[in-house]
Amino acid sequence: MREAYHVELEQLAVKLAAMSLQVADAMELATKALLETDLSLAEQVISGDSKVDDARADCEEAAYALLALQAPVATDLRTVLAAIHAAESLERMGDLALHVAKAARRRHPEAVLPDDVKPYFTEMGKVAVKLARQAETVIKTKDVEAARTLEADDDQVDDIHKHLFTVIMDKNWPHGVAAAVDVTLLGRFYERFADHAVSVARRMVFVVTGRMPGYGSAEDL
């Protein structure tokens, strides 16, 4: 019975890791749709979002079944609780990729972004996708050191996001209010996507250490 129980725990981790790759792929495609004004890619992300929602429901159903039937304690209990929270964050990451894709579709056939801010979103997109793929590795390995690397990459997205405000607030901004609003919202989508990836990694650190990083020691993530 205990062996079967631990197999179910491992299967739960596999489901979460697969979700992380799903949202990484979604943000990669959404970013390409945004930068290249590609309607077909935007539609692909939009139509695929329900699969991410279904994956979250599947993870939560499995987690709640383990709570109800196995009454886990200690590390096993932390694993199940972390899975519930991580599934929520991953589903939200999928929603944020969806928002990017919808922005690309809404403005089509016009480009959403002025050419002079596209490099910022190219970089944010690369880092965001990297973070989601790193989260997948952390979910599978529960590697605390690997989890810590996400924080530094998340800082890159935060820095670009902050810089975008100086760009659109410049008195010489030539693209008008609508473009400034689009840039502001899209920057926020990427910043939140990255934050959620870090949250997933922190949940895995909690599984290993019993402590949530960011609340205490300077050695925390």
Side-chain angles (χ1 to χ4, degrees):
M1 285 291 293
R2 299 302 295 176
E3 183 177 347
Y5 164 53
H6 283 100
V7 168
E8 290 176 1
L9 280 177
E10 287 299 318
Q11 289 174 342
L12 182 56
V14 169
K15 292 176 190 291
L16 285 173
M19 266 192 86
S20 195
L21 290 182
Q22 275 184 292
V23 299
D25 291 343
M27 184 54 92
E28 188 170 44
L29 292 175
T31 300
K32 189 172 183 180
L34 181 71
L35 295 170
E36 300 179 7
T37 319
D38 190 320
L39 182 59
S40 64
L41 287 180
E43 294 288 5
Q44 186 176 335
V45 175
I46 293 165
S47 63
D49 182 64
S50 61
K51 295 179 182 178
V52 178
D53 296 339
D54 291 344
R56 176 189 176 178
D58 190 27
C59 285
E60 289 185 338
E61 182 179 352
Y64 288 131
L66 286 169
L67 284 175
L69 300 176
Q70 301 292 347
V73 296
T75 301
D76 291 347
L77 176 59
R78 294 200 300 269
T79 299
V80 176
L81 294 176
I84 293 169
H85 288 290
E88 179 182 3
S89 288
L90 290 165
E91 192 265 341
R92 183 59 183 147
M93 290 164 72
D95 287 343
L96 290 161
L98 174 68
H99 294 335
V100 173
K102 284 185 173 180
R105 182 176 70 175
R106 184 173 63 251
R107 296 294 188 194
H108 192 271
E110 300 297 324
V112 181
L113 300 173
D115 287 341
D116 50 352
V117 299
K118 283 184 178 180
Y120 300 118
F121 284 90
T122 298
E123 186 61 24
M124 282 197 295
K126 287 179 181 177
V127 177
V129 171
K130 178 183 176 183
L131 283 165
R133 298 195 189 286
Q134 286 175 316
E136 185 258 351
T137 299
V138 171
I139 290 167
K140 292 192 325 189
T141 65
K142 297 182 176 63
D143 185 331
V144 172
E145 292 305 315
R148 290 195 173 104
T149 67
L150 272 74
E151 187 76 14
D153 289 330
D154 176 51
D155 287 344
Q156 295 180 44
V157 177
D158 290 340
D159 290 343
I160 297 171
H161 181 238
K162 290 174 185 175
H163 180 68
L164 283 171
F165 283 106
T166 67
V167 173
I168 63 175
M169 294 301 291
D170 189 293
K171 64 181 180 180
N172 295 317
W173 171 258
H175 306 294
V177 174
V181 171
D182 283 338
V183 169
T184 300
L185 288 174
L186 286 162
R188 179 63 171 166
F189 297 154
Y190 284 92
E191 187 261 343
R192 292 302 298 146
F193 185 98
D195 284 348
H196 281 293
V198 172
S199 177
V200 171
R202 286 178 169 174
R203 293 291 174 185
M204 297 306 110
V205 174
F206 169 68
V207 170
V208 175
T209 67
R211 296 178 60 204
M212 273 297 292
Y215 303 96
S217 167
E219 295 180 357
D220 286 335
L221 181 65

